[in-house]
Amino acid sequence: MQRFLNRKALELALVGLALMAVMVALGLWQLSVYDDHQDSDAQAALSRPAVPLDSLLGPDAALTADGAGRPVTVSGRYLANDQVYVRKLAGSSRRYAVVTPLVTANGSAVLVVRGSRDMPSARAPVGPVTVTGILEPSGENAPEPDASGVTDGLSVSSLVNAVGPDLYSGYVLLQASNPQQSPRLAPVTPPLSDPARWSGIRNLLYACQWWVFALFVAFMWWRMTQDLVAEDDRESSGLASEPIDGARSG
C-alpha cells in the first residue's frame, strides 16, 4: 500500500479526484435539468383548460392519444354499490385507489379515481356531482375484482361485469369535485404522458455520460498508478543489483 503513496501517485490522485468531482457535479446538474423538464411539461399539460368529457370521448369510442392526459369535466351520479379498490395503480403510493363509476346523462358510466386510502373502504358521495379530472387510458390485463371489490389493476374490460352501465374506455383521475368529497381522500398523481416522459431525455443521457467519464478517470488513475509502481520496482531492482555486480568485478 505504501508504494501507492509516492509523490507522483498522489499528484495523479488529486487531479483525478478534482476531475471526478467536476464530472459528478455536471451529471447531477444535467439530472436536475431533466427533472425540471419533466415537471414543467407535466404542469403545462395539467394547466390546460378542462373540456367536457364527451367532446373528447364518446361512450363507445376508443380513447385517442390526443385525449389522454387532458383535463375534463363530467357530471352525473356515483354508483356506490359498484365501487372498486385498486391495489397497484400508479400514483397511489401503495395505497388502495378508490374507483367509483359515475353515471352520466347519456346512461353510460365513466370510472372516476376519487383518491386513495390505506384501507379498501370509502363512502361515495350521494346526489349529483360535477367532477374535474385528468382523462387517462384504461390499463390492460387486470384481474376482475374479488368479493370485497379489490383488484390489482385498473382495466375497463375487467370491470365490465362488475358495473351495470356501459363504461367509457378511459377513466378520470379526480382533481376537483362540486360538491367536495367527504371524507376527503389522498389524491392520486397523474402518470406522465409519453411526450412528457421523454421530454429532456437528452439531459438524462448527458448526466449518464458525465458519470461514465468520471468512472473512466478513476480507471485511468488506477492504470497510470500501476505503471508508476511498476517503474519504481524496476528502478529499485536495478539499484539493488549494481553493488553485487561491482563486487563481482572487484
Side-chain angles (χ1 to χ4, degrees):
M1 181 64 180
Q2 188 175 2
R3 296 186 302 167
F4 289 89
L5 299 179
N6 60 60
R7 182 178 61 83
K8 291 182 179 179
L10 290 175
E11 289 176 351
L12 284 174
L14 290 175
V15 173
L17 287 174
L19 289 174
M20 290 172 65
V22 171
M23 293 174 181
V24 169
L26 288 171
L28 292 173
W29 172 66
Q30 290 289 350
L31 185 61
S32 68
V33 173
Y34 169 74
D35 290 337
D36 289 343
H37 271 293
Q38 297 271 296
D39 292 340
S40 61
D41 288 349
Q43 290 300 322
L46 296 179
S47 64
R48 291 179 293 181
V51 298
L53 172 65
D54 286 335
S55 68
L56 295 176
L57 179 65
D60 298 319
L63 180 59
T64 64
D66 293 337
R70 291 288 302 273
V72 296
T73 60
V74 57
S75 299
R77 292 176 179 268
Y78 285 118
L79 292 178
N81 293 334
D82 293 337
Q83 184 166 274
V84 296
Y85 308 93
V86 181
R87 270 191 296 243
K88 298 179 180 180
L89 185 64
S92 58
S93 302
R94 299 183 180 180
R95 295 157 60 96
Y96 290 90
V98 181
V99 182
T100 314
L102 182 72
V103 180
T104 65
N106 58 30
S108 296
V110 60
L111 299 175
V112 178
V113 180
R114 299 195 293 115
S116 65
R117 295 194 67 186
D118 53 358
M119 296 293 291
S121 64
R123 187 173 66 253
V126 178
V129 296
T130 298
V131 168
T132 301
I134 309 302
L135 182 60
E136 295 293 340
S138 167
E140 297 179 358
N141 302 324
E144 292 187 3
D146 60 20
S148 60
V150 176
T151 182
D152 286 334
L154 183 49
S155 171
V156 171
S157 59
S158 68
L159 296 176
V160 169
N161 296 327
V163 179
D166 291 336
L167 290 175
Y168 285 76
S169 61
Y171 65 90
V172 175
L173 282 175
L174 186 144
Q175 304 290 300
S177 176
N178 184 22
Q180 291 186 351
Q181 294 191 104
S182 179
R184 292 191 177 183
L185 304 175
V188 175
T189 305
L192 288 174
S193 61
D194 288 338
R197 188 178 296 111
W198 290 102
S199 176
I201 192 67
R202 181 173 60 180
N203 299 103
L204 182 60
L205 294 177
Y206 284 160
C208 296
Q209 175 181 287
W210 282 117
W211 294 333
V212 170
F213 287 165
L215 292 175
F216 180 73
V217 169
F219 170 75
M220 289 303 299
W221 172 84
W222 178 79
R223 284 295 304 272
M224 295 175 72
T225 302
Q226 290 287 327
D227 292 342
L228 289 174
V229 170
E231 183 179 349
D232 289 344
D233 289 343
R234 287 194 298 269
E235 291 178 357
S236 298
S237 299
L239 291 175
S241 63
E242 286 183 359
I244 298 174
D245 294 341
R248 289 177 178 177
S249 62

